[in-house]
Amino acid sequence: MAAHSERREIDEVFKALADPSRRRLLDSLNARNGQTLRELCADMDMARQSVSKHLAVLEGANLVTTLWRGREKLHYLNAAPINAISERWIDRYDQPRVHALADLKHALENPTMQKPSFVYTTYIHTTPDRLYQALTDPAFTKRYWDLTFDTDWTVGSTMVWDNHGAIIDDPDQVVLEADPGRRLSYTWHTFTPELAAVIDLSDDLLAAFAAEPRSKVTFDIEPAGDAVKLTVVHDDFETGSKVAESVSGGWPIVIAKLKTLLETGEALNIAGRGSRVEAELVQR
């Protein structure tokens, strides 16, 4: 059942990519993520209604995901289906080229402070409650993320991160939202010398990371037939953020490991494709 659903999803992606206008829309989002319909129409030589129809096809194929910010509906390129195609159709045939084709971090980064810097949507064959448990239960997080959280998961509670034995304790590491089976949000961890030693982070990069404002991550969970739609938003980055640059290479791998663990019960062994720093950030 899961294999049939996966084939159907990949077929939808290929169909969506077959149209040059839709590829042009993806190119536009690749160049500047988080655009409104009006902004996308400005780059297209077609009526607003036609652009909306193309966007609907791309959303249906999970190539584009949307978020509301106030009254604005923002469109983001979603790398999950492209990564899936890369792993299935490219990795096994030409490994050197996959690194260039699958490096979508620039499509996942947005330098504008008012808009999310990272948005990633995937579908997992599980239940909302099971997915929420996998995001919060140390027995799960240790297997696919190699870290655990010490918190009671109530809004306002502090969070102590255990990353490879580096204990990261800071009063500003807090739970922002906790709605089991629906939504989870918390502030990102502090960058400490102890953590830097564990992940072999250079002094210069540690200083750059530590100097940035604290970001936050949000997990939105929605039922989707016999699956669950998971949207991960990591935002509150400053312009030119080094942390945003790094986590954009790590999040897709963390999510892939989470998906595999929930669907198969087995941990997925994936090496990072980005820089050493990005590979290390996968573990957070």
Side-chain angles (χ1 to χ4, degrees):
M1 181 69 177
H4 175 72
S5 177
E6 181 181 359
R7 287 195 297 270
R8 185 178 68 249
E9 291 167 3
I10 291 178
D11 287 345
E12 290 300 317
V13 173
F14 279 118
K15 290 178 182 178
L17 292 174
D19 185 274
S21 295
R22 291 195 282 271
R23 293 197 299 271
R24 186 176 172 187
L25 283 169
L26 292 178
D27 285 340
S28 180
L29 291 175
N30 187 23
R32 186 166 63 88
N33 227 355
Q35 295 188 57
T36 63
L37 174 60
R38 178 178 56 80
E39 290 171 328
L40 287 168
C41 287
D43 292 332
M44 303 293 291
D45 187 21
M46 62 176 64
R48 182 186 181 96
Q49 185 177 10
S50 298
V51 175
S52 294
K53 289 181 178 179
H54 284 306
L55 285 172
V57 174
L58 292 171
E59 287 186 56
N62 200 27
L63 286 163
V64 168
T65 190
T66 60
L67 292 175
W68 286 92
R69 286 294 178 266
R71 296 182 178 180
E72 287 188 326
K73 183 180 182 181
L74 306 179
H75 299 78
Y76 291 84
L77 187 151
N78 181 42
I82 299 175
N83 284 341
I85 290 175
S86 169
E87 292 166 3
R88 179 169 180 177
W89 297 101
I90 302 175
D91 283 20
R92 69 181 67 176
Y93 300 119
D94 195 340
Q95 187 65 29
R97 291 182 183 177
V98 70
H99 296 293
L101 294 174
D103 183 8
L104 296 174
K105 71 176 183 179
H106 295 298
L108 300 173
E109 295 167 4
N110 182 358
T112 305
M113 291 182 66
Q114 288 76 18
K115 297 178 182 179
S117 293
F118 178 92
V119 180
Y120 197 94
T121 299
T122 191
Y123 290 81
I124 303 175
H125 292 277
T126 186
T127 65
D129 289 340
R130 185 69 167 167
L131 177 52
Y132 190 88
Q133 180 186 12
L135 294 171
T136 57
D137 188 337
F140 274 98
T141 59
K142 184 67 175 178
R143 293 188 66 189
Y144 68 86
W145 209 352
D146 210 6
L147 61 77
T148 60
F149 307 104
D150 183 5
T151 181
D152 61 8
W153 294 112
T154 59
V155 174
S157 292
T158 56
M159 302 174 64
V160 178
W161 296 53
D162 183 341
N163 188 336
H164 289 83
I167 306 302
I168 312 171
D169 190 356
D170 189 298
D172 290 330
Q173 294 171 179
V174 297
V175 179
L176 300 174
E177 297 180 66
D179 187 355
R182 297 185 61 185
R183 186 177 175 89
L184 179 68
S185 181
Y186 48 81
T187 58
W188 204 236
H189 63 73
T190 303
F191 293 92
T192 66
E194 292 76 16
L195 177 62
V198 168
I199 64 174
D200 195 22
L201 197 64
S202 71
D203 291 341
D204 289 345
L205 205 48
L206 171 61
F209 285 177
E212 293 187 16
R214 189 179 302 275
S215 60
K216 75 174 187 296
V217 61
T218 302
F219 305 88
D220 280 311
I221 302 169
E222 304 174 50
D226 61 352
V228 177
K229 179 183 178 183
L230 172 65
T231 300
V232 181
V233 179
H234 197 152
D235 58 0
D236 282 1
F237 294 114
E238 64 179 7
T239 302
S241 167
K242 292 295 185 182
V243 177
E245 181 180 344
S246 295
V247 300
S248 68
W251 270 122
I253 301 177
V254 171
I255 298 167
K257 289 183 174 182
L258 167 63
K259 175 181 171 70
T260 299
L261 181 61
L262 284 171
E263 292 184 341
T264 70
E266 300 295 331
L268 185 64
N269 184 17
I270 301 179
R273 284 181 179 157
S275 67
R276 175 169 177 77
V277 172
E278 289 169 351
E280 294 292 356
L281 285 172
V282 168
Q283 305 303 327
R284 286 184 219 140

